[in-house]
Amino acid sequence: MATSAARDDDDSTVAFPLSAPSVLKINKGDITKWFVDASSDAIVNPANERMLGGGGADGAIHRVAGPELREACFKVPEVRPGIRCPTGEARITPGFKLPASHVIHTVGPIYDTDNNPKASLTSAYRNSLIVAKDNNIKYVAFPAISCGVYGYLFEEAADVAISTIKEFPNDFKEVHFILFSDDIYAVWVKKAKELLQG
Ligand code: AR6
């Protein structure tokens, strides 16, 4: 495995080889604008258990995708009253008006109230990647799940996120993080250097 990080695409993108066929890219930006080929690409939505929209990245994704996304989410069967996607699980829908072809909805833990936030956040990343793989997605983009309203500490979240992506070294052409803020971006790049170049 190559061990060096390389800058590409634009000034903010740092690429880390995961394996010969697969690369992890960390970018700054808005996940609603991200796509690769509009057919085998998916963005991950940090949703809530109702899966009908909300604030933060979820709100932005629904605004750009248009009302069809809410209709598709509404049709996802409830596993319990009002709950379509329990914490740590993932569901997939089309992207509708988004540039990316698919949205994988997952629910990260609320840091202060979850019994085991690390296990729940690991499951959210892992199940998102399993759903992506099962749907022949080759390019996946994640935001920093649970790092907004849900209050997860950035350093701990970066550790979980990158460690879990390392479990899938050969399944995707590219896994991206699209990070909204400079501070989270800096934490993610530092953690990727530790975990992928160490
Ligand atoms: N692109 C990339 N990242 C974004 C964007 C964007 N357009 N907008 C915000 N972020 P959050 P959570 C970042 O709160 O903590 C919703 O109401 C944001 O800066 O979106 O998992 C849901 O419905 C932060 O770093 O998700 C749930 O109720 C990260 O995305 C709840 O919030 C995640 O912040 C989920 O909370």
Side-chain angles (χ1 to χ4, degrees):
M1 186 194 291
T3 54
S4 65
R7 289 190 174 274
D8 74 351
D9 296 354
D10 63 49
D11 276 353
S12 78
T13 302
V14 189
F16 297 86
L18 285 171
S19 69
S22 187
V23 66
L24 172 69
K25 293 188 175 186
I26 302 177
N27 322 263
K28 260 188 274 186
D30 177 353
I31 202 159
T32 67
K33 296 189 162 69
W34 181 91
F35 73 105
V36 173
D37 63 2
S39 65
S40 67
D41 46 4
I43 63 169
V44 177
N45 179 18
N48 56 60
E49 292 185 326
R50 286 179 72 223
M51 248 187 86
L52 295 177
D58 190 9
I61 288 167
H62 274 270
R63 268 193 301 282
V64 177
E68 295 101 321
L69 181 59
R70 194 174 187 281
E71 285 161 26
C73 287
F74 191 74
K75 287 183 188 148
V76 171
E78 291 181 338
V79 294
R80 295 194 289 283
I83 296 182
R84 293 178 181 76
C85 184
T87 299
E89 295 191 15
R91 304 286 186 266
I92 192 166
T93 65
F96 300 102
K97 293 191 178 68
L98 285 158
S101 58
H102 295 80
V103 180
I104 295 169
H105 307 261
T106 193
V107 181
I110 300 173
Y111 190 78
D112 284 341
T113 57
D114 197 279
N115 286 336
N116 188 342
K118 184 175 180 186
S120 297
L121 189 62
T122 302
S123 293
Y125 279 102
R126 191 181 286 142
N127 284 321
S128 296
L129 291 165
I130 290 169
V131 165
K133 199 175 145 181
D134 288 348
N135 286 273
N136 293 316
I137 299 297
K138 293 294 166 199
Y139 303 92
V140 192
F142 286 93
I145 298 167
S146 286
C147 287
V149 181
Y150 282 1
Y152 215 107
L153 302 180
F154 300 163
E155 290 266 354
E156 291 179 20
D159 194 73
V160 169
I162 294 161
S163 302
T164 309
I165 278 151
K166 277 179 73 176
E167 295 175 8
F168 297 78
N170 297 307
D171 295 303
F172 303 100
K173 289 184 181 160
E174 296 178 7
V175 178
H176 291 227
F177 284 102
I178 310 294
L179 303 167
F180 217 42
S181 67
D182 290 348
D183 49 352
I184 294 186
Y185 170 81
V187 168
W188 246 253
V189 171
K190 182 169 164 280
K191 187 59 71 176
K193 286 180 178 166
E194 278 171 38
L195 294 178
L196 297 169
Q197 297 184 329

